[in-house]
Amino acid sequence: MPPTRESAVLTVANIREETGRILFHEREQIFSLPETDARAGISGRLREALERKTPVKAVLDPRRGIVQGITPAAEKEAGEFERSRTLLDKPGKTVSVNVAEIDPTRFNVVDLTLKSPIFKLCTKIVPSYTKAKEIFDFCAQQSCNLGIPTTVTPCIPFQYVRDGCYARAHKMRWIIEQRYGYCCEKVFSFANQNNDELSVRADKWGGCCVNWWYHVAPLIRVQIKISTFSFVIALVVDPSMFDKPVMLSSWLTAQENAACGAHAKVSMYSIQPGSAYTPANYAGTAFTTDPSYTATDATLIAYKNLTTC
């Protein structure tokens, strides 16, 4: 199960007045204020941090999705946080999307609908679906829940989908680029309009509902050959949600599970270089990086023994 207490230095992405939802850049999970006497004080400190764009020391209850406490980050903690927060240079565009209107026969085809300039940064794409499935299966075999030694360390906690997608995606990016030698972009989905939320059912990990304000996974371009036809499609590698690489449209659609949220809707998506790590603003137009994989590995280790439901 998720822990009942977690402490971290975070930055506030947004406070939703209507629903009282609290969003942090460094967490995909959506949080709420506690129904206690501390509520007003926590709310005030969060608002101040949002206005000043300063990091805070947050005490969270991921199991209930509650912010238990907020204090200013100590000078040393704030300094270390800022020094490690390197922004992505020249991020790609973030695009509004209506998932219900996607035509999957066209949407997933690279250079037809998907014409991201990011694709020009790397040309060594995955040569076949068979190789894409091999990559997916290898990533999935690095899961912490299997109870066996993994080839890659630390293991990847696919079994804990409430949070940590950014770390899982970054470790898989390392695998795809370093072990297999292929291009790897990242795709971010956002619920950053009105009261939108990304809502999924964790069918692989107990069946409970999980809600996020953003999600991220590796995106690979794969050469497909059918008879005399040849084209490139965008597939997403996300073992936390699927048992095989899936088309980008399928990945987005899965995050609009109305049974798991009254406001289930993908507002936007964004294809970024593989070096992108977490969002750096609520609009999804700026991103942090983790070139040393320090934050990545720390998160993977912290979530190693957690489960979703």
Side-chain angles (χ1 to χ4, degrees):
M1 291 291 291
T4 58
R5 186 180 178 88
E6 176 185 344
S7 180
V9 177
L10 306 172
T11 51
V12 183
N14 190 261
I15 300 172
R16 294 183 173 175
E17 301 292 344
E18 184 177 339
T19 60
R21 300 298 200 188
I22 311 300
L23 313 178
F24 298 100
H25 296 115
E26 298 79 18
R27 294 290 184 274
E28 63 183 308
Q29 185 177 1
I30 297 172
F31 291 89
S32 299
L33 293 170
E35 296 295 337
T36 66
D37 294 340
R39 182 184 179 95
I42 293 173
S43 177
R45 286 186 282 275
L46 286 167
R47 293 179 192 283
E48 182 180 3
L50 178 61
E51 292 173 2
R52 296 186 177 183
K53 294 182 171 58
T54 54
V56 294
K57 186 69 171 291
V59 179
L60 308 173
D61 179 350
R63 186 175 300 182
R64 296 188 299 150
I66 300 293
V67 180
Q68 294 182 323
I70 294 291
T71 57
E75 184 177 347
K76 182 178 179 180
E77 289 177 319
E80 291 176 351
F81 179 86
E82 293 297 344
R83 283 192 293 273
S84 66
R85 198 168 187 262
T86 304
L87 294 181
L88 177 68
D89 186 36
K90 298 180 180 179
K93 292 183 178 180
T94 298
V95 183
S96 297
V97 64
N98 185 338
V99 171
E101 295 181 354
I102 288 177
D103 177 357
T105 64
R106 296 179 58 84
F107 180 82
N108 303 286
V109 181
V110 175
D111 293 333
L112 181 61
T113 301
L114 295 178
K115 298 181 179 181
S116 174
I118 301 299
F119 293 150
K120 297 179 181 180
L121 300 178
C122 179
T123 59
K124 192 174 181 183
I125 64 173
V126 179
S128 66
Y129 179 82
T130 300
K131 179 58 71 172
K133 183 64 163 59
E134 178 187 332
I135 292 170
F136 181 99
D137 289 344
F138 180 84
C139 289
Q141 289 163 8
Q142 309 313 307
S143 185
C144 298
N145 70 302
L146 297 179
I148 57 176
T150 56
T151 305
V152 172
T153 56
C155 60
I156 307 176
F158 293 115
Q159 80 286 345
Y160 185 62
V161 301
R162 289 183 183 271
D163 212 291
C165 64
Y166 38 90
R168 297 192 302 269
H170 211 48
K171 200 67 173 181
M172 286 189 284
R173 174 252 185 159
W174 183 90
I175 291 170
I176 294 166
E177 292 186 347
Q178 300 301 316
R179 181 182 178 87
Y180 289 95
Y182 296 117
C183 304
C184 175
E185 287 78 39
K186 299 267 188 71
V187 58
F188 288 78
S189 54
F190 291 98
N192 58 357
Q193 300 295 307
N194 305 310
N195 293 317
D196 294 350
E197 295 183 1
L198 306 178
S199 299
V200 302
R201 188 179 296 280
D203 290 327
K204 293 180 64 176
W205 315 108
C208 58
C209 291
V210 178
N211 297 291
W212 308 310
W213 81 269
Y214 74 89
H215 190 50
V216 58
L219 181 143
I220 54 176
R221 287 168 283 153
V222 182
Q223 186 79 45
I224 301 295
K225 295 180 181 179
I226 301 176
S227 185
T228 59
F229 295 97
S230 179
F231 52 92
V232 177
I233 62 172
L235 296 182
V236 180
V237 179
D238 194 347
S240 70
M241 294 176 61
F242 299 96
D243 293 320
K244 60 184 178 182
V246 297
M247 293 187 295
L248 174 56
S249 60
S250 300
W251 185 76
L252 294 171
T253 300
Q255 297 172 57
E256 287 195 354
N257 190 324
C260 286
H263 303 286
K265 190 177 189 309
V266 179
S267 311
M268 302 179 177
Y269 76 95
S270 183
I271 296 173
Q272 298 295 332
S275 55
Y277 189 58
T278 66
N281 63 9
Y282 184 60
T285 58
F287 299 85
T288 64
T289 64
D290 184 28
S292 66
Y293 291 83
T294 301
T296 298
D297 289 352
T299 299
L300 298 179
I301 291 169
Y303 292 165
K304 175 181 178 179
N305 297 315
L306 303 183
T307 56
T308 302
C309 303

